[in-house]
Amino acid sequence: MSPQLLAQQGLKFDDWQVQYTPNSIEAFTVGGPNSSFGMYCSSDQCMFYLHDALLCQPGSKSPVLMSGINSTAAIGLQCAQVGGVLFQILEPFNSVLDVLKAGGFVGFAVPLQNGTFGFSRFSLKGAPEAIKKTLQESINNKKPPMPEVTPPKSIPGTQRLKEILI
């Protein structure tokens, strides 16, 4: 990691943070003690994720209702293990990106096994700036490739940097 990046660890953009590690860059916000929402980039891939206290099984998929300012979308949530960490990846990428660009708040309703829904709500104040910074740094400082998952294609729900329009 460059000295410039080391000096920028923990950048804050209103309710969002940008965090650097040796192999990744992440923009995220916290919705409570056990939930976060953000974008994780490593190598030339980025993904939006939802994190909560519930453990998911790698490979499992579920529908999610996403609601933002003037928009609602049914999207997918896929559990994948990336470098030993479980990610609940939101897809399609561009649907999530469009809600972030609109600002305000975003909410996610996720069906639970007991027949109820889990709901998370996150502020998008600072999100466009944090996402833009994360994408710029990802392009300028390509990291080693993400650890492979099965199958050895790209991680589901990820978007290549060159395909992301902000």
Side-chain angles (χ1 to χ4, degrees):
M1 184 182 308
S2 74
Q4 180 183 18
L5 286 181
L6 285 172
Q8 294 177 343
Q9 289 204 12
L11 286 177
K12 191 142 173 68
F13 296 88
D14 293 314
D15 295 335
W16 279 66
Q17 298 177 51
V18 175
Q19 184 175 35
Y20 301 88
T21 67
N23 297 317
S24 66
I25 300 174
E26 182 177 2
F28 66 95
T29 189
V30 176
N34 295 316
S35 65
S36 62
F37 163 59
M39 184 177 73
Y40 175 89
C41 296
S42 181
S43 184
D44 70 340
Q45 296 182 56
C46 295
M47 65 180 165
F48 285 109
Y49 68 87
L50 184 61
H51 175 75
D52 56 32
L54 304 173
L55 294 177
C56 62
Q57 294 289 6
S60 66
K61 295 180 181 183
S62 67
V64 174
L65 183 61
M66 177 178 62
S67 179
I69 300 295
N70 300 322
S71 67
T72 303
I75 61 173
L77 182 74
Q78 181 162 342
C79 183
Q81 190 161 356
V82 180
V85 178
L86 288 176
F87 280 92
Q88 295 180 75
I89 302 170
L90 298 163
E91 50 189 348
F93 184 93
N94 288 333
S95 294
V96 180
L97 183 60
D98 289 343
V99 169
L100 268 124
K101 288 178 185 177
F105 288 88
V106 64
F108 298 97
V110 180
L112 303 176
Q113 290 179 342
N114 64 6
T116 62
F117 284 87
F119 186 77
S120 301
R121 185 173 185 221
F122 302 94
S123 168
L124 297 177
K125 188 175 180 182
E129 297 86 357
I131 295 298
K132 187 174 183 177
K133 180 68 171 174
T134 300
L135 292 172
Q136 287 171 342
E137 292 294 336
S138 294
I139 290 167
N140 294 337
N141 300 288
K142 294 225 173 154
K143 305 293 177 201
M146 283 185 184
E148 288 189 359
V149 294
T150 305
K153 300 177 193 170
S154 68
I155 296 172
T158 61
Q159 191 81 11
R160 300 270 181 213
L161 288 172
K162 63 184 175 183
E163 300 166 347
I164 299 171
L165 302 173
I166 54 172

